[in-house]
Amino acid sequence: MTPQDIIKIKQLLAAPKQIVIVTHKNPDGDAMGSTLGLYHYLKKYNHQTTVITPNEFPDFLKWMPGENSILKYDSETNVCNELINSADIIFTLDFNEFHRTGHMEKVLEHSKALKILIDHHQAPGSYAQYAFSDVTMSSTCEMVYHFIDMLGDIGVIDVDIATCLYVGIMTDTGSFRFPCTTSATHKIIANLIDKGANNAKIHNDVYDTNSYERLQLLGCALTNLKVIPELRTAYISLSQEELNKYNYKKGDTEGVVNYGLSLENIIFAVIFIEDKQEGIIKISLRSKGNFSVNDFSRAHFHGGGHINAAGGRSDLSLDDTIKKFISILPAYSNALNYE
Ligand code: 5GP
Ligand code: MN
């Protein structure tokens, strides 16, 4: 995003507009934090602003300021279509291509609104008139902070904006421990705390509100953990039956894939989660170092993301998906055994 772009965006936002903010399907902390952070910012300038998520978001984010104003496309499709079709500006946050929004893909494609993309995923699409894309950023929330900064409005950040942006930076950096965490990230976090973000409470609300069943499901996942030491790989599977047994709710498996990476000498961790309703296996992939799970997922599992964190899916059965995975792995032996 050039300084000229910023000047033009500032001019655009000088008068109240109809604005829609969208994010990816199965929104996570960064998707929710960035959209709601931007929402609170735009409200300050009296824009008519609506956040639309493709579907429901996890319970552990249902305390975030503004979350009760969010429209969910899958259950409020008509009103969402009207808002998208009449929007002057659509901000697309924390995703790179319209297909990441699931059933919203077509209406977004056809919309005449001006699009502004803010995102840190690889390979951003070319649909946006203004794109702020940077794969070195820890999170889209960090980018929204920079965006507000570029607009000269750090002084406008209040406790609601600060709280929302804090959430996404915290979740996408694994609580400030992944390599994408820089000194700039910490400086922004410090500023957000100064603006009123209650760091201890936010951490508690996101991470320490587990149900007993969620912990039991984690126990089941860890029991299912398999290790292939010679390929420095660990993987977990969860069948629909197992999810049902522990009364699975959206978000319950968030972060579980990371346990594989906590094993000594393991640099590649994957979780396969059966979704009978959608008829797919949802896959999450994580790595350490140079092994690109973005490339791996793009090549074999219709997905993508970042070097060290990506998603994907398979249309095979759970067993066959795992068999496919195991059969592919040896081809990556050199990449996995780097030192
Ligand atoms: P998760 O495993 O948490 O679903 O996804 C990990 C990261 O990869 C997140 O940043 C997510 O947005 C991204 N991601 C997940 N699925 C896809 C996909 O199909 N395509 C792309 N480009 N990114 C994905
Ligand atoms: Mn993100």
Side-chain angles (χ1 to χ4, degrees):
M1 187 158 277
T2 65
Q4 285 76 11
D5 288 345
I6 287 293
I7 291 167
K8 285 193 196 132
I9 292 172
K10 230 179 144 61
Q11 284 165 354
L12 266 171
L13 296 176
K17 293 277 185 311
Q18 306 241 30
I19 299 180
V20 168
I21 308 173
V22 298
T23 189
H24 58 80
K25 195 173 170 193
N26 300 324
D28 57 5
D30 191 31
M32 300 306 297
S34 58
T35 53
L36 286 172
L38 184 65
Y39 165 83
H40 290 296
Y41 169 71
L42 294 170
K43 291 289 261 189
K44 298 238 166 208
Y45 287 96
N46 298 318
H47 299 294
Q48 209 186 86
T49 309
T50 312
V51 174
I52 301 178
T53 57
N55 61 346
E56 187 58 276
F57 50 91
D59 281 355
F60 62 78
L61 300 173
K62 287 205 174 140
W63 56 271
M64 293 179 68
E67 59 87 10
N68 50 10
S69 71
I70 289 175
L71 297 181
K72 284 136 215 154
Y73 190 82
D74 62 355
S75 56
E76 290 149 297
T77 310
N78 289 342
V79 54
C80 290
N81 279 339
E82 278 167 29
L83 282 164
I84 291 169
N85 287 326
S86 60
D88 301 310
I89 303 173
I90 298 180
F91 280 90
T92 72
L93 265 51
D94 200 38
F95 68 88
N96 52 353
E97 296 268 21
F98 284 147
H99 72 83
R100 298 272 294 119
T101 64
H103 295 306
M104 294 175 70
E105 180 177 4
K106 285 279 168 291
V107 66
L108 288 173
E109 239 167 46
H110 292 136
S111 133
K112 301 269 187 296
L114 182 126
K115 317 283 185 324
I116 303 179
L117 170 152
I118 305 178
D119 181 43
H120 65 139
H121 292 93
Q122 312 255 349
S126 55
Y127 61 80
Q129 282 78 4
Y130 299 106
F132 181 21
S133 159
D134 187 343
V135 298
T136 69
M137 287 281 164
S138 72
S139 53
T140 304
C141 279
E142 187 167 337
M143 300 181 74
V144 169
Y145 182 94
H146 287 300
F147 181 67
I148 294 173
D149 192 9
M150 288 189 281
L151 291 169
D153 273 341
I154 288 297
V156 170
I157 295 181
D158 62 7
V159 59
D160 286 347
I161 301 173
T163 300
C164 293
L165 298 185
Y166 189 103
V167 168
I169 299 176
M170 178 184 80
T171 55
D172 261 26
T173 59
S175 297
F176 322 110
R177 73 187 199 279
F178 296 153
C180 60
T181 314
T182 63
S183 68
T185 316
H186 280 288
K187 283 172 191 149
I188 290 170
I189 281 296
N191 289 342
L192 295 177
I193 293 172
D194 286 343
K195 300 276 186 190
N198 186 337
N199 51 316
K201 183 173 186 309
I202 293 171
H203 202 281
N204 180 75
D205 289 350
V206 172
Y207 294 117
D208 298 340
T209 50
N210 282 323
S211 65
Y212 179 74
E213 284 168 323
R214 186 179 181 195
L215 284 192
Q216 295 284 298
L217 179 64
L218 172 62
C220 175
L222 295 180
T223 304
N224 293 349
L225 175 71
K226 301 270 190 305
V227 181
I228 310 173
E230 66 278 15
L231 293 168
R232 304 179 75 188
T233 298
Y235 66 92
I236 292 172
S237 65
L238 282 171
S239 67
Q240 185 71 62
E241 202 179 322
E242 287 166 328
L243 296 169
N244 294 348
K245 180 171 173 200
Y246 298 107
N247 197 19
Y248 167 82
K249 290 202 299 307
K250 195 166 278 298
D252 279 355
T253 54
E254 197 79 38
V256 175
V257 61
N258 291 308
Y259 283 91
L261 274 193
S262 73
L263 286 163
E264 191 179 11
N265 204 36
I266 294 300
I267 61 141
F268 184 27
V270 183
I271 188 167
F272 301 95
I273 303 173
E274 188 173 34
D275 184 336
K276 278 257 160 89
Q277 202 185 338
E278 295 215 13
I280 60 163
I281 309 301
K282 169 88 183 83
I283 307 171
S284 284
L285 310 94
R286 301 290 185 270
S287 68
K288 284 184 179 167
N290 295 330
F291 184 70
S292 171
V293 288
N294 171 54
D295 292 346
F296 186 91
S297 183
R298 268 174 206 280
H300 306 291
F301 292 111
H302 314 285
H306 317 275
I307 287 185
N308 297 132
R313 68 180 164 79
S314 158
D315 300 320
L316 304 172
S317 69
L318 185 57
D319 281 351
D320 286 345
T321 302
I322 292 170
K323 278 189 194 130
K324 172 179 166 177
F325 174 70
I326 290 171
S327 72
I328 293 165
L329 270 185
Y332 290 85
S333 176
N334 285 344
L336 289 163
N337 280 297
Y338 75 88
E339 206 43 273

